[in-house]
Amino acid sequence: MSKPVIGITCNTLLAEGTLLPGMIRAFVSTDYIQSVVQAGGIPLLLPSVTDPTIARSQLMAIDGLVMSGGPDIDPSLYGEEPLEKLGVVNPLRDEYELVIVKEAAELKKPVLGICRGIQIINVAYGGTLYQDVSQIPDCTIKHFQSTTQREALWHTVSIEPKSVLTTILGQSAIRVNSYHHQAVKTLAPGFMATAISTDSVIEAIELQNEHFVLGVQWHPEMLAEKSSTMLALFEKLVCEAANNR
Ligand code: MN
């Protein structure tokens, strides 16, 4: 049987300082592509489009979905005004990814959300976000790591024992990297927080009693090449994708 096709959502970038300044480009870090390949899937990049029927057709062409990292989510999408520490938002990508998460839910496609991915999943299913971790009462850890080594692990998360994440990682606590300044605030209905940092920031969420939808706040794609633990997240997605065809 052929390998499952794994869609990866893309960023858009206004390319200045290049040979063609002003061009808008669709792109994703190659770490996502490599991680899917290494896990046994066929990576397929999904650019943001405005037409929901095209988004649906994109989903019909894939067996599983990676919601990749990227810019902040417009807080109006979860009923808040923009606060001072909100970063740049990308309305096209927000609109597209909300459609694609909801379509994936309807078609029961397995989903792995990474960084922005966990956040857009939570918003799409009705949850809210902290626009900046400084809003979190007990947040004391620096969640945007400052290291010269990109693969460096940065902080600890504890894993909920009765979770899919535990079965994937096989550990009750792990060290993760951390490149985020937003985080899940109110958990979306139907989800459980399955990893939490020592300062109480939600670092993973899972849809309960449904098909596979898992979001992590860290970046396993940056670590999967050398870490079988982090690669296991992608292998789980590929396995679910193969089983759900
Ligand atoms: Mn973190």
Side-chain angles (χ1 to χ4, degrees):
M1 199 150 115
S2 61
K3 293 176 176 181
V5 176
I6 306 297
I8 306 169
T9 58
C10 289
N11 277 307
T12 51
L13 171 77
L14 179 63
E16 299 293 358
T18 66
L19 283 175
L20 297 165
M23 293 290 271
I24 297 171
R25 293 184 169 154
F27 75 103
V28 75
S29 303
T30 54
D31 285 343
Y32 292 99
I33 298 166
Q34 271 312 114
S35 297
V36 167
V37 169
Q38 209 178 330
I42 308 289
L44 193 68
L45 300 194
L46 304 180
S48 298
V49 291
T50 48
D51 183 344
T53 62
I54 295 179
R56 191 176 176 87
S57 297
Q58 287 176 318
L59 272 175
M60 303 291 267
I62 63 170
D63 303 305
L65 178 63
V66 173
M67 304 296 296
S68 67
D72 287 358
I73 294 160
D74 186 337
S76 70
L77 297 171
Y78 50 91
E80 287 190 9
E81 291 293 326
L83 302 179
E84 191 54 44
K85 289 189 173 174
L86 179 71
V88 173
V89 298
N90 179 340
L92 169 64
R93 188 171 175 192
D94 283 347
E95 190 186 338
Y96 169 73
E97 288 195 335
L98 287 178
V99 169
I100 214 160
V101 171
K102 286 168 186 169
E103 289 287 345
E106 206 164 288
L107 298 169
K108 301 208 178 297
K109 303 273 183 183
V111 182
L112 174 62
I114 294 173
C115 199
R116 172 191 161 91
I118 181 180
Q119 296 167 4
I120 197 81
I121 289 168
N122 194 55
V123 171
Y125 277 88
T128 66
L129 305 177
Y130 288 109
Q131 292 182 38
D132 186 81
V133 289
S134 62
Q135 288 181 267
I136 305 174
D138 299 322
C139 181
T140 49
I141 288 175
K142 186 174 192 177
H143 282 273
F144 204 102
Q145 71 187 63
S146 46
T147 53
T148 53
Q149 215 186 344
R150 198 171 58 88
E151 320 81 70
L153 299 176
W154 189 249
H155 71 68
T156 306
V157 297
S158 56
I159 314 287
E160 164 64 36
K162 286 179 193 149
S163 64
V164 175
L165 199 56
T166 291
T167 64
I168 299 169
L169 303 175
Q171 295 170 63
S172 58
I174 56 163
R175 299 277 297 167
V176 297
N177 55 3
S178 194
Y179 291 98
H180 63 109
H181 86 105
Q182 298 201 313
V184 169
K185 184 157 71 180
T186 311
L187 196 58
F191 279 77
M192 179 164 74
T194 57
I196 195 158
S197 61
T198 52
D199 61 347
S200 306
V201 174
I202 292 174
E203 293 268 345
I205 62 171
E206 289 174 24
L207 184 59
Q208 299 296 290
N209 309 315
E210 263 281 2
H211 65 294
F212 177 80
V213 180
L214 168 68
V216 295
Q217 188 57 73
W218 65 92
H219 281 276
E221 83 285 359
M222 294 185 188
L223 306 164
E225 187 183 1
K226 290 173 185 163
S227 164
S228 58
T229 305
M230 294 302 176
L231 179 62
L233 287 160
F234 290 92
E235 289 172 335
K236 174 67 174 174
L237 175 67
V238 168
C239 177
E240 291 289 332
N243 293 338
N244 282 286
R245 277 193 282 193

